[in-house]
Amino acid sequence: MGGIGMRVSNLLMPTLRELPAEAEVVSHQLLLRAGFIRKAAAGVYTLLPLAWRVIRKIEQIIREEMDRQGGQELMMPIIQPAELWHESGRWDVYGPELFRLKDRHGRDFCLGPTHEEIITALIRGEINSYKQLPLLLYQIQNKYRDERRPRFGLLRGREFIMKDLYSFDRDEAGLDISYNKMFEAYTNVFRRCGLRFRPVVADSGAIGGSDTHEFAVLAESGEATILYCENDECGYAANEERAEAVASTSTGNMAPLEMKKISTPDCRTIEEVALFLKLPPEKMIKTMIYSTEKETVAAMVRGDREINEVKLYNALGCIRLDLADEETVLRVTGAPAGFAGPVNLKGVKLVADREVMTLANAVCGANENDYHLVNVNPGRDFKPDIIADIRLVKAGEPCPVCGAGLHEAKGIEVGQIFKLGDKYSKALGATFLDENGKARPFIMGCYGIGVTRTMAAAVEQNHDERGIKWPVQIAPYHVIVVPVSTKDKDQVNAAEEIYQNLVTGGVETVIDDRPERAGVKFKDADLVGYPIRITVGAKGLAEGKVELYSRLEEQTMMVPLGDVVNAVKSKLRELAAG
RNA sequence: CGGGAUGUAGCGCAGUUUGGCCAGCGCGCUUGCCUUGGGAGCAAGAGGUCGGGGGUUCAAAUCCCUCCAUCCCGACCA
């Protein structure tokens, strides 16, 4: 892990006083300002020495935890032949996110966004027997995705460092074991990185598979919304996309009344209709018209709820899902948007949220301009093709496991673990022989950690107005020694001695030997975010003491010269213990 | 991909509306003096294809056409 001592006068650490205009989120701003990264192209960055040290520390923690679970590290090609992607079917499915290129002979290749194809093809050729399983293989390397819109600096780049582990088991039971190992490994990795995080139940997206968890670093700027149970014993936590709604019971056991059409001029939104009819939104059925690649769909949720498009997408099993345009709405409902309803709606697949089915004498659009239907009773007045949980769950709703309240938080997804099953092994014909000499596809799992994203997430979670506050475990250096004045020989000598002693003592240390004024050096130290600063000044030195400043705690203490190394080490242990 | 915006020195920006003197300011950088507990001061400097190409004009950073790049919102996102 590189040298553990460094002089700031030699360090490539180009700090900026002013904020680069291109940076919006805190991690991007601070990593640029503190001299960690520089942009080469949109979503493509050079990692300067300080950033690279952080990355290598994160990688090292990951390696240790992967190895502890029996993982073996290997290196796979970034350039991958189209052939394999044709075999898995993903050359066409992956879409424009796949960076594609041709060699001089016109053969197609891509830059690997992930390595299921490569590793499955490798295993197909090399592993033949159940006796060789399970197998856990991982890589830490650059991956590529041609994001439509790279943004947020390192949080969503087109080139990024990723750890991916792939597990190969003989059956589902084996996969469960591998999956649990990785769950434990990930928990250890993020804890050791000093991050506050939560594993959450997630949607498996296009990769398919049954179980999947995301690991979300809690931060206000996070793109993911997660819901978690207020009851710690329960521990339920899920991505908003996946958070299960508790099926509510009937809102009333009223006798069904006769359905009637009533005039509701200019009432297009639930709020307008509610106001006009003097009825609460939860008595209404919100009907949204969607288009998929194969059909038009009417999705219904209770008036006070919102549709969860991920759940709807899963319920429909479609590839594409978009809100229908104005023309389509007019064509299928015969009315402008705002008056759609499920009653007598022809040629459209009806999908109702489970909760809708509990409504009695409800209100919905009449599929006619300026009219709504009242006393609508699901089952009697319309029959959905699909009844499923398709709504968004909000904070305050009951936990689907224990019934306590759900809380909401924002998170940055830094890792995700998937059970793939035989999806890729079947597609690529990767099989082994079991005890009975029967060929069976490998049962696979894949487990990713965004390494560069983890670094950015750490900054999002650990900073203040002055700069970064690195958790000790992943700080680029632990200590910066700052002589207040480089003109004062005593200060310089004392600082140099402390620096040497720290380095000799195994503490990763830099010394700010630049002939700058104290303020400049302090500002840079705060910006870069060294956990500990040792300030050597005239006043303290007169008493044989220096100042130890803890960036994380924002506390200072005076330490006798002879005790510096021990004081630093014990403070670092204390900080690392959290 | 739809919508919005920007591109002038390493960074942050003014100048563009209404074309016209040498393209400016702050920070940073270089040299000297001075200063050294929170981004000091003085002085002297270096640094520019005004995003690229084409056009209009006596004259273009400024007007027109076109291409490119970058950022924001949305959609999208193993």
Side-chain angles (χ1 to χ4, degrees):
Chain A
M1 158 86 46
I4 64 168
M6 188 69 200
R7 315 187 80 82
V8 175
S9 59
N10 292 332
L11 181 59
L12 179 59
M13 178 202 72
T15 56
L16 303 171
R17 290 196 181 190
E18 283 169 294
L19 199 55
E22 70 186 37
E24 193 71 11
V25 297
V26 168
S27 62
H28 191 195
Q29 293 174 341
L30 287 175
L31 289 170
L32 280 168
R33 277 196 63 208
F36 281 67
I37 63 170
R38 285 295 183 265
K39 186 176 65 179
V44 180
Y45 292 85
T46 295
L47 303 173
L48 301 181
L50 290 176
W52 188 236
R53 288 183 71 89
V54 174
I55 292 292
R56 285 194 302 167
K57 288 191 176 187
I58 296 171
E59 288 181 351
Q60 189 53 34
I61 290 170
I62 292 172
R63 281 196 178 93
E64 289 170 15
E65 295 301 330
M66 294 302 117
D67 292 351
R68 191 205 297 264
Q69 303 293 346
Q72 301 177 60
E73 185 172 6
L74 48 60
M75 188 70 160
M76 288 189 268
I78 285 169
I79 298 180
Q80 305 185 9
E83 213 169 42
L84 286 176
W85 286 74
H86 282 129
E87 276 192 66
S88 72
R90 290 208 291 183
W91 184 262
D92 299 317
V93 173
Y94 213 96
E97 289 224 334
L98 193 60
F99 263 113
R100 294 158 209 255
L101 62 155
K102 285 184 190 294
D103 71 7
R104 61 168 67 191
H105 305 293
R107 290 186 284 246
D108 288 312
F109 290 84
C110 65
L111 299 182
T114 173
H115 284 71
E116 280 87 6
E117 281 80 1
I118 293 278
I119 195 124
T120 307
L122 175 81
I123 295 306
R124 169 176 68 187
E126 308 303 329
I127 301 294
N128 312 303
S129 165
Y130 72 93
K131 293 174 188 167
Q132 296 167 288
L133 301 177
L135 199 51
L136 306 177
L137 298 169
Y138 73 96
Q139 40 149 197
I140 302 177
Q141 59 192 77
N142 283 4
K143 304 218 172 185
Y144 298 82
R145 273 182 227 168
D146 194 359
E147 293 278 352
R148 278 179 187 183
R149 190 184 154 205
R151 58 180 143 176
F152 306 145
L154 256 31
L155 285 172
R156 184 168 294 275
R158 294 191 292 176
E159 176 180 79
F160 46 90
I161 301 170
M162 190 117 185
K163 185 284 303 180
D164 264 322
L165 183 142
Y166 300 94
S167 67
F168 296 85
D169 281 282
R170 52 189 300 191
D171 53 23
E172 293 288 337
L175 173 58
D176 287 345
I177 294 170
S178 295
Y179 187 88
N180 290 339
K181 281 182 174 177
M182 284 301 115
F183 191 99
E184 182 184 326
Y186 276 42
T187 303
N188 290 339
V189 165
F190 296 118
R191 180 181 45 73
R192 287 183 61 192
C193 285
L195 300 171
R196 297 182 297 285
F197 68 98
R198 266 180 194 279
V200 302
V201 176
D203 185 71
S204 57
I207 198 152
S210 44
D211 278 339
T212 175
H213 285 84
E214 284 174 0
F215 287 76
V217 167
L218 303 175
E220 268 315 302
S221 55
E223 290 184 89
T225 300
I226 65 181
L227 291 145
Y228 61 95
C229 184
E230 64 186 0
N231 175 7
D232 287 340
E233 310 257 306
C234 168
Y236 178 79
N239 189 306
E240 171 187 68
E241 294 174 343
R242 181 62 190 277
E244 244 176 275
V246 171
S248 61
T249 49
S250 177
T251 37
N253 43 5
M254 315 153 70
L257 302 175
E258 190 188 344
M259 187 170 72
K260 279 192 302 197
K261 187 167 83 176
I262 57 167
S263 170
T264 52
D266 286 330
C267 296
R268 289 159 178 277
T269 66
I270 292 288
E271 289 72 27
E272 286 163 358
V273 178
L275 202 64
F276 184 81
L277 296 177
K278 298 187 171 53
L279 279 171
E282 52 267 33
K283 291 289 288 179
M284 307 197 197
I285 299 171
K286 185 189 286 183
T287 308
M288 309 284 283
I289 308 297
Y290 283 88
S291 298
T292 74
E293 74 279 5
K294 50 189 178 197
E295 61 203 340
T296 303
V297 174
M300 290 162 273
V301 293
R302 211 170 73 182
D304 58 326
R305 308 296 196 186
E306 283 172 56
I307 288 178
N308 179 329
E309 292 190 0
V310 171
K311 288 181 181 175
L312 180 56
Y313 176 100
N314 289 336
L316 290 165
C318 57
I319 295 169
R320 202 174 53 81
L321 178 72
D322 297 297
L323 264 181
D325 53 37
E326 193 67 19
E327 286 166 46
T328 308
V329 173
L330 194 60
R331 179 168 50 78
V332 302
T333 71
F339 300 98
V343 180
N344 293 324
L345 196 56
K346 299 282 190 287
V348 175
K349 180 173 268 186
L350 298 182
V351 184
D353 183 67
R354 293 177 308 189
E355 202 173 39
V356 168
M357 303 310 291
T358 69
L359 297 177
N361 298 327
V363 177
C364 69
N367 299 321
E368 188 178 337
N369 196 14
D370 290 345
Y371 283 95
H372 277 76
L373 297 174
V374 299
N375 299 331
V376 172
N377 288 280
R380 183 191 72 178
D381 301 320
F382 66 92
K383 290 190 170 53
D385 298 293
I386 299 176
I387 298 171
D389 174 12
I390 60 165
R391 72 177 180 86
L392 215 50
V393 174
K394 300 279 191 187
E397 292 193 39
C399 167
V401 174
C402 76
L406 287 176
H407 288 194
E408 196 176 294
K410 289 288 180 185
I412 300 166
E413 183 205 330
V414 289
Q416 187 161 10
I417 57 181
F418 291 93
K419 289 184 181 174
L420 293 174
D422 58 10
K423 178 173 171 173
Y424 292 91
S425 47
K426 263 192 174 160
L428 290 154
T431 61
F432 63 95
L433 295 179
D434 67 13
E435 299 94 316
N436 305 314
K438 188 170 169 251
R440 291 165 53 181
F442 295 99
I443 304 302
M444 296 173 55
C446 73
Y447 316 86
I449 292 178
V451 178
T452 29
R453 181 183 276 190
T454 297
M455 175 170 74
V459 176
E460 290 290 332
Q461 192 177 69
N462 301 285
H463 69 272
D464 61 17
E465 59 292 338
R466 298 205 308 271
I468 305 170
K469 300 163 85 165
W470 288 109
V472 171
Q473 299 89 327
I474 59 173
Y477 287 93
H478 295 139
V479 180
I480 181 167
V481 178
V482 180
V484 169
S485 168
T486 50
K487 287 282 174 63
D488 181 335
K489 280 248 163 34
D490 292 340
Q491 288 180 40
V492 171
N493 291 341
E496 288 287 347
E497 193 180 333
I498 290 166
Y499 168 66
Q500 292 300 341
N501 290 342
L502 285 167
V503 170
T504 308
V507 179
E508 298 173 33
T509 309
V510 301
I511 180 167
D512 197 341
D513 57 342
R514 296 174 300 175
E516 292 284 353
R517 294 166 58 86
V520 173
K521 293 186 276 197
F522 292 156
K523 291 286 187 192
D524 271 350
D526 288 345
L527 183 58
V528 171
Y530 308 94
I532 292 178
R533 187 184 77 210
I534 299 292
T535 310
V536 182
K539 277 176 287 184
L541 219 47
E543 303 170 27
K545 289 180 177 174
V546 295
E547 179 189 277
L548 187 159
Y549 170 71
S550 164
R551 174 84 175 93
L552 301 176
E553 305 161 302
E554 299 187 16
Q555 285 172 2
T556 62
M557 57 194 261
M558 298 306 291
V559 178
L561 280 167
D563 296 348
V564 172
V565 175
N566 284 335
V568 164
K569 283 186 175 178
S570 96
K571 177 56 83 178
L572 286 173
R573 273 195 299 273
E574 182 192 324
L575 292 172

